[in-house]
Amino acid sequence: MAERFDVAIIGGGVVGCAIARELSRFAMTVVLLERQADVARGTSSKNSAVVHTGFNVPPGSLKARLNVAGAAVFENVCRELGVPFKRVGKLVIALQEEQVAELRALEARGIKNGVPSLEIIGRDEIKRLEPNISGVAALHAPTAAITCPYTLTIALAESAAENGAEVRLESPVLEISRGDEGFTLATPRGAVCAGLVINSAGLEADHVAEMAGVRRWRIYPCRGEYAILDRSKSWLISRMVYPVPPKGGPGLGVHLTPTVDGNILIGPSAEYVRSREDTRTTGEVRRQLLQEAAGL
């Protein structure tokens, strides 16, 4: 017989684990189903680990509201979980005078979203903050922060488990059926029945939705490659350094991001690929990333 839970969460990335932790605070039974041998094996461990402030998202959107609210509580969450958190700040650099107007537009958007302490600074202040960076002006976001994405995800899962949620690894969902009493999810470790199913399956979220009969979503995988500098080069920057976002591009442009471990990330690139499992890194993109980073 299928084991019964109030809620089944599909996907052990940072979102699924955060939901599991939050629901484990309440009087309900929760199971998290992850197909890999550990949590944080997908996109949740393959990013810049940036706690964004919220000035890049459209005002009035749900993303803007949650981005700003999430950034405000992130430090406390990391403290509760014993996860690294550093409020290093961020500079968005204008390399030409004609880009300054775009900085002011970003500033206005951020202020409308409720992002605190934003300011436009000039060439001299840029050099004072980051001696190895050049630009005619920059948007300074001192509240921007970094964390460790895989440590955070693991800590969220462990906290959920300590609170009574069940975390099942190596448990991909193979089939979803719906009956009078909820959903039945078939896995290699046996079936699970739940009144509510939460789809946090990352790159496979559209496939999971389709198993449940929802076919209006489709994932278009976009691969981002990084170059990682040795810790001996950590002195090059002390905060995040971004270019003015490229117009019409899929991302925010190639940027420099310090990590909590003392490395510097250069990237990411942005390339739409056919396979969701295509996580290759290439010499060609590495050279491109280093060349673009040299312009900052």
Side-chain angles (χ1 to χ4, degrees), residues 27-105:
M28 61 176 64
T29 54
V30 178
V31 61
L32 184 145
L33 302 172
E34 166 55 42
R35 65 173 181 158
Q36 300 282 2
D38 203 350
V39 297
R41 294 292 298 273
T43 55
S44 291
S45 62
K46 300 173 176 65
N47 56 67
S48 302
V50 174
V51 182
H52 289 286
T53 59
F55 59 76
N56 272 315
V57 290
S61 65
L62 177 62
K63 185 174 182 178
R65 181 168 63 83
L66 297 181
N67 201 162
V68 174
V73 302
F74 217 100
E75 184 172 10
N76 287 336
V77 171
C78 288
R79 186 183 298 113
E80 288 176 2
L81 295 170
V83 173
F85 177 93
K86 292 184 180 180
R87 200 175 294 282
V88 295
K90 179 190 295 186
L91 295 178
V92 181
I93 304 291
L95 298 176
Q96 294 90 31
E97 288 289 348
E98 54 266 28
Q99 292 180 316
V100 175
E102 296 176 60
L103 291 184
R104 299 200 182 283

Side-chain angles (χ1 to χ4, degrees), residues 1-291:
M1 289 184 61
E3 291 186 73
R4 180 168 296 279
F5 295 86
D6 294 316
V7 181
I9 302 164
I10 304 174
V14 67
V15 174
C17 291
I19 293 171
R21 180 185 188 240
E22 186 64 25
L23 293 183
S24 70
R25 300 171 185 267
F26 301 93
M28 61 176 64
T29 54
V30 178
V31 61
L32 184 145
L33 302 172
E34 166 55 42
R35 65 173 181 158
Q36 300 282 2
D38 203 350
V39 297
R41 294 292 298 273
T43 55
S44 291
S45 62
K46 300 173 176 65
N47 56 67
S48 302
V50 174
V51 182
H52 289 286
T53 59
F55 59 76
N56 272 315
V57 290
S61 65
L62 177 62
K63 185 174 182 178
R65 181 168 63 83
L66 297 181
N67 201 162
V68 174
V73 302
F74 217 100
E75 184 172 10
N76 287 336
V77 171
C78 288
R79 186 183 298 113
E80 288 176 2
L81 295 170
V83 173
F85 177 93
K86 292 184 180 180
R87 200 175 294 282
V88 295
K90 179 190 295 186
L91 295 178
V92 181
I93 304 291
L95 298 176
Q96 294 90 31
E97 288 289 348
E98 54 266 28
Q99 292 180 316
V100 175
E102 296 176 60
L103 291 184
R104 299 200 182 283
L106 285 175
E107 180 187 37
R109 182 184 302 170
I111 291 172
K112 188 173 291 186
N113 286 343
V115 179
S117 306
L118 293 175
E119 62 172 344
I120 303 290
I121 61 175
R123 192 188 308 268
D124 292 343
E125 183 67 3
I126 293 173
K127 280 296 182 184
R128 187 186 73 80
L129 294 175
E130 294 293 344
N132 295 303
I133 299 298
S134 299
V136 299
L139 175 62
H140 184 207
T143 61
I146 55 174
T147 185
C148 178
Y150 31 91
T151 303
L152 172 62
T153 306
I154 292 168
L156 288 166
E158 290 177 342
S159 177
E162 288 175 2
N163 288 343
E166 185 167 339
V167 178
R168 293 191 180 179
L169 305 174
E170 298 180 318
S171 298
V173 174
L174 307 175
E175 184 180 347
I176 300 175
S177 57
R178 186 170 186 174
D180 294 337
E181 298 184 2
F183 298 88
T184 300
L185 286 62
T187 82
R189 296 182 57 188
V192 167
C193 186
L196 177 67
V197 175
I198 298 175
N199 180 359
S200 296
L203 286 174
E204 300 297 329
D206 56 344
H207 291 161
V208 169
E210 191 171 353
M211 281 192 278
V214 180
R215 295 178 173 81
R216 62 180 180 273
W217 309 112
R218 183 178 177 186
I219 299 291
Y220 295 89
C222 185
R223 183 180 68 200
E225 299 181 38
Y226 290 91
I228 305 177
L229 301 187
D230 188 80
R231 295 182 192 179
S232 64
K233 302 298 182 183
S234 63
W235 56 270
L236 287 170
I237 58 170
S238 58
R239 55 185 48 75
M240 293 173 267
V241 179
Y242 283 53
V244 170
K247 294 181 179 179
L252 298 177
V254 172
H255 45 270
L256 311 176
T257 307
T259 72
V260 294
D261 296 310
N263 303 97
I264 295 175
L265 299 179
I266 301 176
S269 60
E271 178 186 2
Y272 285 96
V273 293
R274 291 180 180 274
S275 172
R276 305 173 194 224
E277 307 299 326
D278 187 353
T279 58
R280 295 174 296 164
T281 54
T282 63
E284 178 184 356
V285 172
R286 180 182 63 84
R287 289 187 290 272
Q288 175 189 334
L289 292 174
L290 293 174
Q291 182 179 1

